[in-house]
Amino acid sequence: MKRKGILFVISGPSGVGKGTIREALLEKISDIEVSISATTRPPRPGEVHGKDYFFLSGEEFKKMIAEDKFLEWANVYQNFYGTPRDFVIKNLEQGKDVLLEIDIQGAMQVKNKMPEGVFIFIYPPDIQTLAERLCNRGKDSKESIERRLAACAEELRHVKYYDYVVVNDELEWAVKKTEAIIIAERCKIKNIELEVV
Amino acid sequence: MKRKGILFVISGPSGVGKGTIREALLEKISDIEVSISATTRPPRPGEVHGKDYFFLSGEEFKKMIAEDKFLEWANVYQNFYGTPRDFVIKNLEQGKDVLLEIDIQGAMQVKNKMPEGVFIFIYPPDIQTLAERLCNRGKDSKESIERRLAACAEELRHVKYYDYVVVNDELEWAVKKTEAIIIAERCKIKNIELEVV
C-alpha cells in the first residue's frame, strides 16, 4: 500500500518563535513540502510574495472563500489569513509530507477537518518571556502587544487539543525536539512501507 | 499532576542489531533507566553479571517465577529469559523512563500487561543481511543460525503490534530514529508537565 503523506501542523501563540523554529527545521529536513498561507495583511519588510505568504487583495481572498479553496481561514485583527487547500491535499495524496505553520485558531480548524494530522504546539517557557519577545521584535505596536498577551493566556488552553508540546525555552533544543517528532511520526507503523513483509 | 515514567521497549529478531542500537542510544540519552534481564543461559565472553544480564541458575529462576517476580519470561532454545518486574514498575512510578531491550516473544507479553508502553521494532533491511549478521558475529552455531532465520520470517509478522518501526539499514541513522522516538514521546501532551497553565 502506497504511503500517504503526513500533515505536520506547527502552531502556538504569536511571538512564541514558531516561524524561527520552522526555518531552522527546514535546514535539517528537506523532504517536506511547506504550505504557504494567503493573507490580506500588507507585507512586512523583507517578506516575499509566494515565499512567506501569498499577499492577496480583500477581493481575491473573498473569491477563494466563496470557491471553498481554503483548508482554514480567519479574520485576525482586521486581516484575513488562510491556508490554500489544494496544495496540502495534492501533496499528501502523492505521499509527500506537508509542513504547515499557523496560528492556533487556524490549527483548530485544520484539526476539525484533518484530525489525522500531527499537531505540534510551540509553547512559551513563561508569559514574561513571550512579552519580551513580542516587544523586542519591534513589529507590533504597544496596543497590539497588550492585546496579544491577553489573548495568549486564553490561547494556551488550546494546548490540550494538540498531539505534542515543544517548550521553546532554548531554540536549538526546541528545533531538535520538533525534528524528532517528524522523524518519529515517520517511523510509526501506519506511516512506513516495509520491504521485507 | 506528577509525570509518570514511559516504558520504552526495543525489540526485534535475533541479530537485527537491537543491542548495538541500545548501547549507542545510551551514549546520547542519559536520563533513562535500563532494565536488565535475567537469564539461565551461560554468559558469552565479555558479558558481565548485573550489567548485561543477571545470570541465574535454573533453581533461582524458577523461584522468581513462582513468586511472580517477572514482567515476562520465556524458555527460548532451552534457556530461560525474564524481565524482573519490580525494577520497571518502581522507576515508572517515580517518573523515570525505562528502556527495555527484549526479544519479540517477551515484548508481546509486556505489551499484554503494559499496553501503555512504547513498542519499537528494530527491523532488518532484508533477510539476507540478517543472515550475514548472524553468521559474522560468530556467537552461534550454523544450526542455531538456520533455526533462527526460519523463526525470523514468522517473527517479523509481529511488527503490526508495535508502535514504531526502525529499519536498521544504517546504524547511525537507526540510532537517530530511535532517539527521535524517545524525544518525541516525551513531548506528547500526556507525558509533559507544563509550567504556564
Side-chain angles (χ1 to χ4, degrees):
Chain A
M1 197 178 69
K2 181 89 179 72
R3 175 190 188 276
K4 211 183 167 238
I6 308 169
L7 174 63
F8 292 100
V9 178
I10 293 185
S11 181
S14 205
V16 78
K18 54 188 185 294
T20 310
I21 288 174
R22 182 190 67 169
E23 291 309 309
L25 199 61
L26 292 174
E27 303 276 313
K28 292 167 174 261
I29 295 183
S30 56
D31 56 340
I32 196 162
E33 304 296 320
V34 180
S35 167
I36 298 164
S37 296
T39 184
T40 59
R41 81 152 165 74
R44 292 177 183 147
E47 285 185 337
V48 176
H49 178 78
K51 180 176 169 285
D52 299 293
Y53 285 95
F54 293 109
F55 294 102
L56 305 183
S57 69
E59 285 309 304
E60 290 168 319
F61 203 100
K62 282 168 189 167
K63 185 166 181 288
M64 284 184 68
I65 293 175
E67 292 170 351
D68 195 24
K69 288 196 170 168
F70 286 117
L71 198 56
E72 57 83 29
W73 66 271
N75 185 339
V76 185
Y77 309 131
Q78 315 308 323
N79 291 308
F80 285 88
Y81 293 81
T83 301
R85 176 200 296 270
D86 287 356
F87 177 88
V88 174
I89 302 297
K90 186 190 68 189
N91 278 289
L92 294 179
E93 282 175 358
Q94 289 174 1
K96 291 177 191 165
D97 296 343
V98 175
L99 183 64
L100 178 57
E101 181 221 325
I102 44 174
D103 66 10
I104 293 166
Q105 292 186 43
M108 291 296 91
Q109 282 185 65
V110 174
K111 189 174 168 68
N112 221 1
K113 289 183 183 160
M114 306 184 72
E116 72 278 18
V118 176
F119 292 79
I120 305 167
F121 198 106
I122 311 296
Y123 207 87
D126 53 70
I127 289 278
Q128 187 56 35
T129 306
L130 190 65
E132 284 164 13
R133 283 184 194 160
L134 282 171
C135 293
N136 290 339
R137 71 180 191 180
K139 293 174 185 170
D140 307 286
S141 69
K142 195 181 165 217
E143 276 174 11
S144 166
I145 289 169
E146 284 174 358
R147 195 168 49 187
R148 287 186 187 198
L149 275 180
C152 179
E154 174 60 28
E155 282 192 319
L156 291 181
R157 297 193 192 159
H158 288 86
V159 70
K160 62 178 175 284
Y161 301 114
Y162 286 68
D163 302 296
Y164 296 96
V165 185
V166 170
V167 178
N168 187 16
D169 43 9
E170 199 273 305
L171 179 64
E172 203 179 329
W173 178 223
V175 172
K176 178 160 183 170
K177 286 188 284 189
T178 312
E179 183 195 15
I181 291 166
I182 293 175
I183 294 172
E185 284 287 332
R186 288 173 168 177
C187 289
K188 277 194 175 167
I189 187 110
K190 65 175 175 181
N191 293 324
I192 205 161
E193 289 177 87
L194 293 174
E195 289 175 24
V196 178
V197 285
Chain B
M1 196 178 70
K2 181 89 178 73
R3 175 190 187 277
K4 207 181 168 241
I6 308 169
L7 174 63
F8 292 100
V9 178
I10 293 184
S11 181
S14 204
V16 79
K18 54 188 186 294
T20 311
I21 289 174
R22 182 190 67 167
E23 290 309 309
L25 199 61
L26 293 174
E27 302 276 313
K28 292 167 175 262
I29 295 182
S30 55
D31 56 340
I32 196 162
E33 304 295 320
V34 180
S35 166
I36 298 164
S37 296
T39 184
T40 59
R41 80 151 165 74
R44 292 175 186 150
E47 286 185 336
V48 176
H49 178 79
K51 180 175 170 285
D52 298 293
Y53 284 96
F54 293 108
F55 295 101
L56 304 182
S57 69
E59 285 309 304
E60 289 169 319
F61 203 100
K62 282 169 188 165
K63 185 165 181 287
M64 283 185 68
I65 293 175
E67 292 170 352
D68 195 25
K69 288 195 169 168
F70 286 116
L71 198 55
E72 57 82 31
W73 65 271
N75 186 338
V76 184
Y77 308 132
Q78 316 309 323
N79 291 307
F80 284 89
Y81 293 81
T83 301
R85 175 200 297 270
D86 288 356
F87 177 89
V88 174
I89 303 297
K90 185 189 69 188
N91 278 288
L92 295 179
E93 282 175 357
Q94 289 175 1
K96 292 178 190 164
D97 297 343
V98 175
L99 182 64
L100 178 58
E101 181 222 324
I102 44 174
D103 66 10
I104 294 167
Q105 293 186 42
M108 292 295 92
Q109 283 185 65
V110 174
K111 189 174 168 69
N112 220 0
K113 288 183 183 162
M114 307 186 72
E116 72 278 18
V118 175
F119 291 79
I120 305 167
F121 197 106
I122 311 296
Y123 207 86
D126 53 69
I127 289 278
Q128 187 55 35
T129 307
L130 191 66
E132 283 164 13
R133 283 184 194 160
L134 282 171
C135 292
N136 290 339
R137 72 180 191 181
K139 290 175 186 170
D140 307 286
S141 69
K142 194 181 166 217
E143 276 174 11
S144 165
I145 290 169
E146 284 174 358
R147 194 168 49 185
R148 287 186 186 198
L149 275 179
C152 180
E154 174 61 28
E155 282 191 318
L156 291 181
R157 297 193 192 159
H158 288 85
V159 70
K160 61 178 177 285
Y161 301 113
Y162 287 68
D163 301 296
Y164 296 96
V165 185
V166 171
V167 177
N168 188 16
D169 43 9
E170 199 274 304
L171 179 64
E172 202 179 330
W173 178 224
V175 172
K176 178 160 182 168
K177 286 188 283 190
T178 313
E179 182 194 14
I181 291 165
I182 293 175
I183 294 173
E185 284 286 332
R186 288 173 168 177
C187 289
K188 278 196 175 166
I189 186 107
K190 65 175 176 182
N191 292 325
I192 205 162
E193 289 177 87
L194 293 174
E195 289 175 25
V196 178
V197 285

